[in-house]
Amino acid sequence: KAGVTQTPRYLIKTRGQQVTLSCSPISGHRSVSWYQQTPGQGLQFLFEYFSETQRNKGNFPGRFSGRQFSNSRSEMNVSTLELGDSALYLCASSWTSTGPDTQYFGPGTRLTVL
Amino acid sequence: QKEVEQDPGPLSVPEGAIVSLNCTYSNSAFQYFMWYRQYSRKGPELLMYTYSSGNKEDGRFTAQVDKSSKYISLFIRDSQPSDSATYLCAMSAGGADGLTFGKGTHLIIQP
């Protein structure tokens, strides 16, 4: 069974631009979560989607948004990029709708903001 | 005080040693506890998953949860150079809550 895939793997943008990252969950998984990983703050929860609905959101500004499609694929968008948005963005998928179950992570998209 | 505290290391031990990794937490609502391993430039990989208190063993890995002390541990027996990675503890209260991670411990197993 294929794992979680994320595209693109690497991205370089400049301040003020916007970016869209994509995540395809493991087949059959309906929950998709997004995390930001930086050396200073570690892994931080952004938001979680289940059946196209955002169920939970972390403590990030409104510039960070996401959505989930009917096939469970998910995208996250960051508008008006700042230097501090440079990070590894990880997507994780899981099967059940309740409990953290077991989340399987993708390889991440490394975003560099210049 | 952060919700989850984890010593960042690095922790360097000789091959074959028993490794002990630990996290403390402050949120008594946490009831799901996980350990992830992350190699450089890769996504985290789930190693152990425990619900509530107790021990769980899987091969060379043992996870312990002590909810009364708000303390969790991961033990690695017969450590190998391939175990060199960053180990992240993670926990959740359940439901739609996202995982709360420790910052990770960088482990180095010396051949």
Side-chain angles (χ1 to χ4, degrees):
Chain A
K1 185 184 269 191
V4 178
T5 58
Q6 293 187 245
T7 57
R9 292 293 311 278
Y10 302 91
L11 206 49
I12 299 175
K13 292 287 187 179
T14 56
R15 279 179 298 176
Q17 288 187 308
Q18 75 167 16
V19 66
T20 299
L21 312 181
S22 180
C23 171
S24 292
I26 292 172
S27 178
H29 285 193
R30 297 169 64 191
S31 171
V32 173
S33 298
W34 288 90
Y35 295 84
Q36 180 196 66
Q37 186 174 31
T38 60
Q41 298 299 318
L43 260 160
Q44 294 183 283
F45 173 70
L46 280 157
F47 28 67
E48 189 257 356
Y49 286 87
F50 181 83
S51 292
E52 302 178 65
T53 300
Q54 185 182 94
R55 297 195 301 174
N56 202 0
K57 190 177 192 306
N59 189 25
F60 278 82
R63 299 185 298 107
F64 292 82
S65 63
R67 59 178 175 169
Q68 187 180 32
F69 302 95
S70 58
N71 62 357
S72 294
R73 190 177 69 85
S74 177
E75 290 181 346
M76 68 163 282
N77 183 277
V78 188
S79 62
T80 320
L81 284 166
E82 301 177 359
L83 295 179
D85 296 333
S86 295
L88 180 67
Y89 289 89
L90 291 157
C91 162
S93 75
S94 61
W95 191 74
T96 60
S97 61
T98 56
D101 192 36
T102 52
Q103 291 194 4
Y104 294 86
F105 282 81
T109 294
R110 185 163 295 280
L111 172 65
T112 302
V113 182
L114 303 176
Chain B
Q1 179 191 13
K2 284 184 69 69
E3 273 194 297
V4 179
E5 301 278 0
Q6 184 177 12
D7 187 337
L11 175 62
S12 183
V13 301
E15 182 176 356
I18 296 175
V19 175
S20 173
L21 303 168
N22 311 292
C23 288
T24 59
Y25 63 94
S26 58
N27 187 347
S28 57
F30 288 148
Q31 50 183 339
Y32 297 89
F33 304 92
M34 287 135 281
W35 285 95
Y36 285 84
R37 177 176 63 194
Q38 186 174 25
Y39 292 112
S40 179
R41 301 201 173 273
K42 301 284 188 181
E45 170 194 12
L46 180 68
L47 280 177
M48 301 289 284
Y49 172 67
T50 309
Y51 172 71
S52 193
S53 284
N55 294 358
K56 187 173 184 178
E57 187 174 320
D58 184 2
R60 296 185 296 113
F61 299 91
T62 300
Q64 289 185 350
V65 175
D66 182 349
K67 289 187 70 179
S68 62
S69 301
K70 296 189 178 66
Y71 187 88
I72 70 171
S73 301
L74 177 71
F75 297 95
I76 307 174
R77 291 183 299 280
D78 187 26
S79 55
Q80 305 293 313
S82 58
D83 295 328
S84 298
T86 296
Y87 289 78
L88 300 144
C89 64
M91 38 201 88
S92 170
D97 280 357
L99 299 178
T100 300
F101 282 85
K103 285 198 175 182
T105 298
H106 182 44
L107 174 64
I108 301 168
I109 308 297
Q110 302 167 336

